[in-house]
Amino acid sequence: MKPGFQCQLVNDPFGDPALYVEFLFQKRAVLFDLGDIHALSPRKLLRLSHVFVSHTHMDHFYGFDYLLRVCLGRAITLNLYGPPGFIDRVAHRLGGYTWNLVENYADELVFMVHEWAGDATLRRCRFPCRKAFVREPMPEVPVEGGVLLEEPGLSVRAALLDHKIPCLAFVLEEPQHVNIWKNRLEEAGLPKGPWLQHLKQAILRGEDDDYPIEVRWREGKGHVRYISLGELKKSILKIVPGMKIGYVVDALYCPSNLGRLEKLLNGVDWLYIEAGFAHEEAEPAARKYHLTAAQAGWIARRVGAKRLVPFHFSARYQGEADKLVEEAVAAFRDTGVFDGVITP
Ligand SMILES: [Zn+2]
């Protein structure tokens, strides 16, 4: 089963971090981090509905102004998410411009800015263009299990990591794909009809196997039969797990971060993770609260990632990208050295 989205690192591994995730057949995309995003066309930027920012060090947030420039004057509500202090950071960026001619814009750009501190609450503020982007506080909403966004076809969870400042790591997940074997439906003598949608929804809701599904025939005066979900799973359904993408940048290799990443990233299909330094530089990396390439590989192995994409390389390794990739891959495949925790 193909995933319902495509991922693209916006820049090469030495460029600013930004991962563009485009949903197939929807003209919609989400972005992880807002580094240098000039390589994305305005057409692609205008598809963004949600932008998740790990932290506001400049290389992760510098693209905000370009995004604002492209979206200004259009009827767009753009949802931004970030760590503690994020709402103030966005307010300061918007406050850096003069907005005296925007009150009559026919189409209004609105930023809905969300801030999460790793707890059970999502703080929110609205920044509407026609009111000169002055912040309007919104009611807080509850957060369970780090889930920042949940829609029928998509969820995004986060974990708060230690980068000497709070830094968010993210996982984007699709729900499982529920497919119906049409030939088996016929063989079982079951009709097509709206009941198949109810069946799919019951699975996505996580109902138990003994949950009864009403099967209704149009012919025969609306004949009805109840069949258990478990029986239908065995006879006519193919259930494929959804794709899971992990995004991790700027973090110290320490027990608390590892524990949080294990919980967040368990079984990811693709792990995009910073591999900023060679492991021989583990001490300076730790002093800067960054991961080495080997540490990125060890994390990928610990969380059971299926594929690893190391990126966000330090400029000091220009021309030596292969060295960092090979080190990360060796650790991922468990051919590396001792998985030692380095402290700053
Ligand atoms: Zn940083």
Side-chain angles (χ1 to χ4, degrees):
M1 185 76 191
K2 279 192 173 175
F5 53 81
Q6 274 179 343
C7 298
Q8 173 202 351
L9 276 175
V10 175
N11 301 307
D12 72 38
F14 291 98
D16 288 351
L19 178 68
Y20 185 81
V21 182
E22 185 160 23
F23 295 86
L24 304 177
F25 318 116
Q26 289 186 43
K27 295 195 173 164
R28 182 216 174 162
V30 304
L31 187 67
F32 292 96
D33 267 346
L34 255 180
D36 181 356
I37 53 168
H38 285 85
L40 289 171
S41 65
R43 183 179 58 85
K44 285 199 156 189
L45 289 174
L46 290 170
R47 289 184 173 177
L48 289 173
S49 62
H50 295 73
V51 179
F52 300 89
V53 176
S54 61
H55 63 303
T56 49
H57 278 157
M58 197 173 180
D59 50 335
H60 299 259
F61 194 45
Y62 145 87
F64 175 81
D65 285 27
Y66 182 57
L67 182 62
L68 167 62
R69 183 72 194 93
V70 169
C71 295
L72 192 62
R74 295 176 185 265
I76 293 173
T77 296
L78 199 49
N79 294 279
L80 306 180
Y81 295 74
F86 187 59
I87 291 173
D88 281 345
R89 298 279 88 73
V90 173
H92 290 313
R93 296 295 289 275
L94 291 166
Y97 295 98
T98 306
W99 301 109
N100 63 315
L101 297 173
V102 291
E103 67 273 17
N104 296 324
Y105 274 22
D107 292 321
E108 183 167 48
L109 169 65
V110 176
F111 289 106
M112 274 293 301
V113 185
H114 307 69
E115 182 178 298
W116 186 58
D119 53 9
T121 311
L122 195 59
R123 279 159 288 281
R124 303 185 298 164
C125 281
R126 206 171 161 267
F127 292 83
C129 175
R130 279 191 212 127
K131 293 190 179 159
F133 291 113
V134 172
R135 83 172 77 183
E136 295 177 349
M138 303 284 291
E140 295 178 348
V141 288
V143 174
E144 223 177 285
V147 177
L148 302 186
L149 171 67
E150 186 140 47
E151 296 179 359
L154 163 74
S155 73
V156 175
R157 275 186 301 125
L160 200 74
L161 303 181
D162 182 6
H163 174 44
K164 208 167 187 177
I165 53 166
C167 177
L168 297 177
F170 302 102
V171 149
L172 180 147
E173 285 173 87
E174 285 181 301
Q176 52 194 350
H177 298 280
V178 183
N179 300 312
I180 291 156
W181 297 104
K182 290 212 176 94
N183 54 337
R184 293 201 193 160
L185 190 69
E186 270 172 38
E187 283 164 24
L190 296 171
K192 290 180 187 165
W195 75 276
L196 291 170
Q197 277 312 316
H198 299 153
L199 167 62
K200 283 187 179 184
Q201 284 157 9
I203 301 224
L204 293 174
R205 284 199 307 271
E207 298 289 358
D208 292 334
D209 279 358
D210 56 4
Y211 183 83
I213 299 289
E214 184 189 275
V215 185
R216 187 176 287 274
W217 280 258
R218 281 201 197 100
E219 307 83 28
K221 295 179 189 163
H223 172 60
V224 169
R225 200 177 128 202
Y226 288 88
I227 307 178
S228 75
L229 190 57
E231 198 178 317
L232 291 166
K233 273 187 194 168
K234 275 187 246 154
S235 58
I236 62 163
L237 293 181
K238 184 182 178 194
I239 299 174
V240 184
M243 185 68 80
K244 195 168 168 181
I245 306 290
Y247 180 88
V248 179
V249 288
D250 299 26
L252 176 67
Y253 195 75
C254 66
S256 70
N257 280 350
L258 293 178
R260 288 177 180 190
L261 287 173
E262 273 177 14
K263 217 168 139 195
L264 179 75
L265 301 171
N266 181 29
V268 282
D269 293 283
W270 291 84
L271 177 57
Y272 292 83
I273 184 166
E274 78 147 340
F277 292 77
H279 199 65
E280 64 205 20
E281 305 264 23
E283 283 180 28
R287 278 199 300 274
K288 293 180 176 183
Y289 283 67
H290 277 285
L291 297 174
T292 69
Q295 290 164 350
W298 289 326
I299 289 169
R301 194 179 80 232
R302 280 172 86 130
V303 303
K306 297 190 182 70
R307 296 177 194 86
L308 165 69
V309 185
F311 77 116
H312 199 14
F313 299 164
S314 164
R316 70 173 76 185
Y317 299 98
Q318 278 286 0
E320 294 182 289
D322 289 352
K323 176 178 169 174
L324 295 176
V325 172
E326 281 163 19
E327 186 179 293
V329 169
F332 183 39
R333 292 189 179 144
D334 200 14
T335 53
V337 289
F338 167 63
D339 180 358
V341 172
I342 308 289
T343 48

